[in-house]
Amino acid sequence: MRMILLGPPGAGKGSQAKNLSAALSVPHISTGDIFRANIKGGTELGKQVKSIIDAGGLVPDDLTVRIVKDRLSEPDCTNGFILDGFPRTIPQAQQLDALLRMEGNAVEVVIDLVCPDEIIVGRMSGRRMCSCGRTYHLVSNPPRMEGICDADGGSLYIREDDKEPTVRERLATYHRQTEPLIAHYKLQGVVRDIDGTMSIADTTAVILDAVRK
Ligand code: AP5
């Protein structure tokens, strides 16, 4: 299954990708997670992208596409993947289409997680992260012990770009640069609109039902 998860910041792409990756046995590839790991590791890439991400902007297309191409060439992607946060611009989508076409493949399904901006602002203010990649929410998806990751016992932290002014900037960036991808993929007939305001578990069940039909 070659799947893209589209939707505004905080629509639940990462939460869904983790569940879907386990259910469909394909890797979850998040460009945001790749960038954050590089920032944490103090790599050259991390230094290049930190100020862009902290301001709620987009990392340049050429850099982002190169990273995704490298990741998709790894053996675990042979039978498919779930892309979370990529593509995010029309040029990124066009380059992904061209890459898959060269292999005789194509994007099979694009899940458009629909979620209003005001719900998103509330979700971001309650989000807590672990460096292992798990995401929690103080109200809707709390860890068993406050401030501690259920999976590895790590200390939870607040993402630098989850402050409200940055969230509003990320939403504006989404509407301007990423929303046009819905029309791009509708032309390919692969978009499934999914209500992103249901519970995490119910949303996963609806997506699995849609992709298995
Ligand atoms: P990225 O990490 O991709 O961030 P994003 O798209 O803004 O999405 P988020 O991770 O914020 O949210 P999500 O939809 O995954 O929601 P989540 O499941 O965590 O990108 C970060 C930055 O990197 C970008 O701003 C950009 O600068 C750069 N970047 C990344 N990719 C790029 C690209 N391709 N090109 C250029 N630049 C790029 O859920 C959010 C919260 O809500 C959590 O607390 C969760 O527990 C809770 N929640 C989730 N679902 C539900 C639900 N159904 N009900 C109640 N609560 C829920």
Side-chain angles (χ1 to χ4, degrees):
M1 172 73 58
R2 291 174 183 81
M3 180 192 289
I4 292 172
L5 288 177
L6 261 188
K13 301 182 297 296
S15 305
Q16 292 307 319
K18 282 185 183 60
N19 293 349
L20 296 168
S21 167
L24 299 169
S25 304
V26 287
H28 165 204
I29 300 170
S30 157
T31 39
D33 286 349
I34 294 171
F35 292 139
R36 279 185 291 280
N38 276 275
I39 292 171
K40 188 163 178 260
T43 68
E44 206 43 54
L45 171 66
K47 286 177 195 151
Q48 263 177 288
V49 302
K50 184 175 185 326
S51 60
I52 301 171
I53 291 180
D54 287 353
L58 290 185
V59 174
D61 289 337
D62 54 346
L63 193 56
T64 309
V65 170
R66 194 159 8 103
I67 285 160
V68 173
K69 272 188 182 170
D70 286 350
R71 181 63 187 89
L72 292 182
S73 68
E74 288 178 30
D76 63 334
C77 296
T78 311
N79 294 323
F81 46 76
I82 298 172
L83 285 171
D84 157 16
F86 181 92
R88 240 175 165 100
T89 64
I90 293 287
Q92 289 182 15
Q94 289 167 335
Q95 291 188 61
L96 177 65
D97 289 348
L99 177 72
L100 295 176
R101 211 179 303 120
M102 276 185 344
E103 299 164 349
N105 292 320
V107 172
E108 287 162 276
V109 63
V110 174
I111 300 297
D112 176 28
L113 273 180
V114 182
C115 198
D117 287 6
E118 287 318 311
I119 289 190
I120 282 165
V121 174
R123 283 188 184 174
M124 301 306 223
S125 63
R127 173 159 59 184
R128 297 294 179 270
M129 306 281 296
C130 178
S131 54
C132 76
R134 288 216 172 214
T135 303
Y136 299 88
H137 189 277
L138 294 181
V139 179
S140 65
N141 182 26
R144 284 194 293 270
M145 270 179 66
E146 195 184 324
I148 303 293
C149 177
D150 294 348
D152 70 355
S155 298
L156 302 184
Y157 65 93
I158 300 175
R159 251 168 69 170
E160 194 59 38
D161 59 349
D162 275 353
K163 293 172 185 145
E164 188 170 335
T166 314
V167 169
R168 299 251 176 223
E169 185 54 39
R170 289 164 60 200
L171 280 168
T173 303
Y174 168 78
H175 290 305
R176 201 172 48 241
Q177 291 185 264
T178 307
E179 218 164 35
L181 296 189
I182 299 169
H184 173 89
Y185 285 114
K186 279 203 166 150
L187 284 176
Q188 298 182 20
V190 291
V191 176
R192 302 282 176 277
D193 294 316
I194 302 286
D195 177 5
T197 65
M198 298 178 287
S199 72
I200 293 175
D202 284 353
T203 308
T204 305
V206 170
I207 295 174
L208 285 173
D209 195 43
V211 300
R212 282 171 173 155
K213 266 183 191 149

mmCIF file with all atom_site columns, all heavy atoms in Angstrom, residues 65-77:
data_model
loop_
_atom_site.group_PDB
_atom_site.id
_atom_site.type_symbol
_atom_site.label_atom_id
_atom_site.label_alt_id
_atom_site.label_comp_id
_atom_site.label_asym_id
_atom_site.label_entity_id
_atom_site.label_seq_id
_atom_site.pdbx_PDB_ins_code
_atom_site.Cartn_x
_atom_site.Cartn_y
_atom_site.Cartn_z
_atom_site.occupancy
_atom_site.B_iso_or_equiv
_atom_site.pdbx_formal_charge
_atom_site.auth_seq_id
_atom_site.auth_comp_id
_atom_site.auth_asym_id
_atom_site.auth_atom_id
_atom_site.pdbx_PDB_model_num
ATOM 1   N N   . VAL A 1 65 ? 12.835 16.669 -0.775 1.00 0.00 ? 65 VAL A N   1
ATOM 2   C CA  . VAL A 1 65 ? 12.645 15.584 -1.750 1.00 0.00 ? 65 VAL A CA  1
ATOM 3   C C   . VAL A 1 65 ? 13.842 14.627 -1.688 1.00 0.00 ? 65 VAL A C   1
ATOM 4   O O   . VAL A 1 65 ? 13.670 13.398 -1.751 1.00 0.00 ? 65 VAL A O   1
ATOM 5   C CB  . VAL A 1 65 ? 12.444 16.160 -3.171 1.00 0.00 ? 65 VAL A CB  1
ATOM 6   C CG1 . VAL A 1 65 ? 12.502 15.059 -4.228 1.00 0.00 ? 65 VAL A CG1 1
ATOM 7   C CG2 . VAL A 1 65 ? 11.116 16.899 -3.262 1.00 0.00 ? 65 VAL A CG2 1
ATOM 8   N N   . ARG A 1 66 ? 15.050 15.188 -1.560 1.00 0.00 ? 66 ARG A N   1
ATOM 9   C CA  . ARG A 1 66 ? 16.248 14.333 -1.510 1.00 0.00 ? 66 ARG A CA  1
ATOM 10  C C   . ARG A 1 66 ? 16.166 13.350 -0.330 1.00 0.00 ? 66 ARG A C   1
ATOM 11  O O   . ARG A 1 66 ? 16.450 12.160 -0.466 1.00 0.00 ? 66 ARG A O   1
ATOM 12  C CB  . ARG A 1 66 ? 17.501 15.222 -1.400 1.00 0.00 ? 66 ARG A CB  1
ATOM 13  C CG  . ARG A 1 66 ? 18.762 14.490 -1.684 1.00 0.00 ? 66 ARG A CG  1
ATOM 14  C CD  . ARG A 1 66 ? 19.944 15.379 -2.082 1.00 0.00 ? 66 ARG A CD  1
ATOM 15  N NE  . ARG A 1 66 ? 19.796 16.805 -1.973 1.00 0.00 ? 66 ARG A NE  1
ATOM 16  C CZ  . ARG A 1 66 ? 20.323 17.550 -0.993 1.00 0.00 ? 66 ARG A CZ  1
ATOM 17  N NH1 . ARG A 1 66 ? 21.026 17.006 -0.030 1.00 0.00 ? 66 ARG A NH1 1
ATOM 18  N NH2 . ARG A 1 66 ? 20.180 18.857 -1.007 1.00 0.00 ? 66 ARG A NH2 1
ATOM 19  N N   . ILE A 1 67 ? 15.730 13.861 0.808  1.00 0.00 ? 67 ILE A N   1
ATOM 20  C CA  . ILE A 1 67 ? 15.637 13.012 2.004  1.00 0.00 ? 67 ILE A CA  1
ATOM 21  C C   . ILE A 1 67 ? 14.609 11.897 1.799  1.00 0.00 ? 67 ILE A C   1
ATOM 22  O O   . ILE A 1 67 ? 14.844 10.736 2.146  1.00 0.00 ? 67 ILE A O   1
ATOM 23  C CB  . ILE A 1 67 ? 15.255 13.886 3.224  1.00 0.00 ? 67 ILE A CB  1
ATOM 24  C CG1 . ILE A 1 67 ? 16.484 14.681 3.642  1.00 0.00 ? 67 ILE A CG1 1
ATOM 25  C CG2 . ILE A 1 67 ? 14.720 13.074 4.386  1.00 0.00 ? 67 ILE A CG2 1
ATOM 26  C CD1 . ILE A 1 67 ? 16.174 15.866 4.469  1.00 0.00 ? 67 ILE A CD1 1
ATOM 27  N N   . VAL A 1 68 ? 13.472 12.254 1.217  1.00 0.00 ? 68 VAL A N   1
ATOM 28  C CA  . VAL A 1 68 ? 12.422 11.248 1.012  1.00 0.00 ? 68 VAL A CA  1
ATOM 29  C C   . VAL A 1 68 ? 12.866 10.214 -0.028 1.00 0.00 ? 68 VAL A C   1
ATOM 30  O O   . VAL A 1 68 ? 12.645 9.010  0.151  1.00 0.00 ? 68 VAL A O   1
ATOM 31  C CB  . VAL A 1 68 ? 11.090 11.929 0.608  1.00 0.00 ? 68 VAL A CB  1
ATOM 32  C CG1 . VAL A 1 68 ? 10.038 10.895 0.235  1.00 0.00 ? 68 VAL A CG1 1
ATOM 33  C CG2 . VAL A 1 68 ? 10.581 12.803 1.751  1.00 0.00 ? 68 VAL A CG2 1
ATOM 34  N N   . LYS A 1 69 ? 13.519 10.676 -1.093 1.00 0.00 ? 69 LYS A N   1
ATOM 35  C CA  . LYS A 1 69 ? 14.005 9.726  -2.117 1.00 0.00 ? 69 LYS A CA  1
ATOM 36  C C   . LYS A 1 69 ? 14.932 8.700  -1.472 1.00 0.00 ? 69 LYS A C   1
ATOM 37  O O   . LYS A 1 69 ? 14.827 7.500  -1.722 1.00 0.00 ? 69 LYS A O   1
ATOM 38  C CB  . LYS A 1 69 ? 14.779 10.465 -3.207 1.00 0.00 ? 69 LYS A CB  1
ATOM 39  C CG  . LYS A 1 69 ? 13.891 10.964 -4.325 1.00 0.00 ? 69 LYS A CG  1
ATOM 40  C CD  . LYS A 1 69 ? 14.746 11.508 -5.471 1.00 0.00 ? 69 LYS A CD  1
ATOM 41  C CE  . LYS A 1 69 ? 13.882 12.046 -6.582 1.00 0.00 ? 69 LYS A CE  1
ATOM 42  N NZ  . LYS A 1 69 ? 14.617 12.783 -7.595 1.00 0.00 ? 69 LYS A NZ  1
ATOM 43  N N   . ASP A 1 70 ? 15.856 9.176  -0.645 1.00 0.00 ? 70 ASP A N   1
ATOM 44  C CA  . ASP A 1 70 ? 16.790 8.260  0.034  1.00 0.00 ? 70 ASP A CA  1
ATOM 45  C C   . ASP A 1 70 ? 16.027 7.257  0.888  1.00 0.00 ? 70 ASP A C   1
ATOM 46  O O   . ASP A 1 70 ? 16.303 6.061  0.861  1.00 0.00 ? 70 ASP A O   1
ATOM 47  C CB  . ASP A 1 70 ? 17.754 9.041  0.947  1.00 0.00 ? 70 ASP A CB  1
ATOM 48  C CG  . ASP A 1 70 ? 18.814 9.784  0.140  1.00 0.00 ? 70 ASP A CG  1
ATOM 49  O OD1 . ASP A 1 70 ? 18.904 9.536  -1.070 1.00 0.00 ? 70 ASP A OD1 1
ATOM 50  O OD2 . ASP A 1 70 ? 19.526 10.622 0.734  1.00 0.00 ? 70 ASP A OD2 1
ATOM 51  N N   . ARG A 1 71 ? 15.064 7.764  1.628  1.00 0.00 ? 71 ARG A N   1
ATOM 52  C CA  . ARG A 1 71 ? 14.314 6.876  2.540  1.00 0.00 ? 71 ARG A CA  1
ATOM 53  C C   . ARG A 1 71 ? 13.495 5.844  1.757  1.00 0.00 ? 71 ARG A C   1
ATOM 54  O O   . ARG A 1 71 ? 13.446 4.669  2.136  1.00 0.00 ? 71 ARG A O   1
ATOM 55  C CB  . ARG A 1 71 ? 13.394 7.728  3.438  1.00 0.00 ? 71 ARG A CB  1
ATOM 56  C CG  . ARG A 1 71 ? 12.582 6.932  4.454  1.00 0.00 ? 71 ARG A CG  1
ATOM 57  C CD  . ARG A 1 71 ? 13.452 6.206  5.456  1.00 0.00 ? 71 ARG A CD  1
ATOM 58  N NE  . ARG A 1 71 ? 12.681 5.311  6.324  1.00 0.00 ? 71 ARG A NE  1
ATOM 59  C CZ  . ARG A 1 71 ? 12.405 4.043  6.038  1.00 0.00 ? 71 ARG A CZ  1
ATOM 60  N NH1 . ARG A 1 71 ? 12.815 3.494  4.898  1.00 0.00 ? 71 ARG A NH1 1
ATOM 61  N NH2 . ARG A 1 71 ? 11.701 3.292  6.878  1.00 0.00 ? 71 ARG A NH2 1
ATOM 62  N N   . LEU A 1 72 ? 12.896 6.273  0.638  1.00 0.00 ? 72 LEU A N   1
ATOM 63  C CA  . LEU A 1 72 ? 12.057 5.344  -0.143 1.00 0.00 ? 72 LEU A CA  1
ATOM 64  C C   . LEU A 1 72 ? 12.890 4.284  -0.858 1.00 0.00 ? 72 LEU A C   1
ATOM 65  O O   . LEU A 1 72 ? 12.350 3.270  -1.302 1.00 0.00 ? 72 LEU A O   1
ATOM 66  C CB  . LEU A 1 72 ? 11.205 6.114  -1.167 1.00 0.00 ? 72 LEU A CB  1
ATOM 67  C CG  . LEU A 1 72 ? 10.099 7.001  -0.579 1.00 0.00 ? 72 LEU A CG  1
ATOM 68  C CD1 . LEU A 1 72 ? 9.309  7.673  -1.701 1.00 0.00 ? 72 LEU A CD1 1
ATOM 69  C CD2 . LEU A 1 72 ? 9.157  6.205  0.309  1.00 0.00 ? 72 LEU A CD2 1
ATOM 70  N N   . SER A 1 73 ? 14.199 4.542  -0.987 1.00 0.00 ? 73 SER A N   1
ATOM 71  C CA  . SER A 1 73 ? 15.040 3.545  -1.668 1.00 0.00 ? 73 SER A CA  1
ATOM 72  C C   . SER A 1 73 ? 15.459 2.415  -0.716 1.00 0.00 ? 73 SER A C   1
ATOM 73  O O   . SER A 1 73 ? 16.077 1.447  -1.136 1.00 0.00 ? 73 SER A O   1
ATOM 74  C CB  . SER A 1 73 ? 16.293 4.220  -2.254 1.00 0.00 ? 73 SER A CB  1
ATOM 75  O OG  . SER A 1 73 ? 17.121 4.643  -1.188 1.00 0.00 ? 73 SER A OG  1
ATOM 76  N N   . GLU A 1 74 ? 15.072 2.531  0.566  1.00 0.00 ? 74 GLU A N   1
ATOM 77  C CA  . GLU A 1 74 ? 15.448 1.465  1.509  1.00 0.00 ? 74 GLU A CA  1
ATOM 78  C C   . GLU A 1 74 ? 14.533 0.244  1.318  1.00 0.00 ? 74 GLU A C   1
ATOM 79  O O   . GLU A 1 74 ? 13.384 0.379  0.905  1.00 0.00 ? 74 GLU A O   1
ATOM 80  C CB  . GLU A 1 74 ? 15.393 2.002  2.948  1.00 0.00 ? 74 GLU A CB  1
ATOM 81  C CG  . GLU A 1 74 ? 16.553 2.963  3.206  1.00 0.00 ? 74 GLU A CG  1
ATOM 82  C CD  . GLU A 1 74 ? 16.529 3.580  4.592  1.00 0.00 ? 74 GLU A CD  1
ATOM 83  O OE1 . GLU A 1 74 ? 16.035 2.935  5.530  1.00 0.00 ? 74 GLU A OE1 1
ATOM 84  O OE2 . GLU A 1 74 ? 17.003 4.722  4.720  1.00 0.00 ? 74 GLU A OE2 1
ATOM 85  N N   . PRO A 1 75 ? 15.067 -0.958 1.621  1.00 0.00 ? 75 PRO A N   1
ATOM 86  C CA  . PRO A 1 75 ? 14.340 -2.192 1.293  1.00 0.00 ? 75 PRO A CA  1
ATOM 87  C C   . PRO A 1 75 ? 12.968 -2.308 1.951  1.00 0.00 ? 75 PRO A C   1
ATOM 88  O O   . PRO A 1 75 ? 12.068 -2.928 1.373  1.00 0.00 ? 75 PRO A O   1
ATOM 89  C CB  . PRO A 1 75 ? 15.267 -3.318 1.805  1.00 0.00 ? 75 PRO A CB  1
ATOM 90  C CG  . PRO A 1 75 ? 16.546 -2.675 2.183  1.00 0.00 ? 75 PRO A CG  1
ATOM 91  C CD  . PRO A 1 75 ? 16.398 -1.207 2.173  1.00 0.00 ? 75 PRO A CD  1
ATOM 92  N N   . ASP A 1 76 ? 12.772 -1.716 3.131  1.00 0.00 ? 76 ASP A N   1
ATOM 93  C CA  . ASP A 1 76 ? 11.466 -1.896 3.799  1.00 0.00 ? 76 ASP A CA  1
ATOM 94  C C   . ASP A 1 76 ? 10.334 -1.166 3.076  1.00 0.00 ? 76 ASP A C   1
ATOM 95  O O   . ASP A 1 76 ? 9.167  -1.339 3.417  1.00 0.00 ? 76 ASP A O   1
ATOM 96  C CB  . ASP A 1 76 ? 11.547 -1.462 5.276  1.00 0.00 ? 76 ASP A CB  1
ATOM 97  C CG  . ASP A 1 76 ? 11.860 0.024  5.439  1.00 0.00 ? 76 ASP A CG  1
ATOM 98  O OD1 . ASP A 1 76 ? 12.477 0.611  4.533  1.00 0.00 ? 76 ASP A OD1 1
ATOM 99  O OD2 . ASP A 1 76 ? 11.488 0.590  6.478  1.00 0.00 ? 76 ASP A OD2 1
ATOM 100 N N   . CYS A 1 77 ? 10.672 -0.349 2.055  1.00 0.00 ? 77 CYS A N   1
ATOM 101 C CA  . CYS A 1 77 ? 9.618  0.381  1.331  1.00 0.00 ? 77 CYS A CA  1
ATOM 102 C C   . CYS A 1 77 ? 9.171  -0.343 0.064  1.00 0.00 ? 77 CYS A C   1
ATOM 103 O O   . CYS A 1 77 ? 8.313  0.167  -0.672 1.00 0.00 ? 77 CYS A O   1
ATOM 104 C CB  . CYS A 1 77 ? 10.103 1.784  0.955  1.00 0.00 ? 77 CYS A CB  1
ATOM 105 S SG  . CYS A 1 77 ? 10.431 2.804  2.385  1.00 0.00 ? 77 CYS A SG  1
#
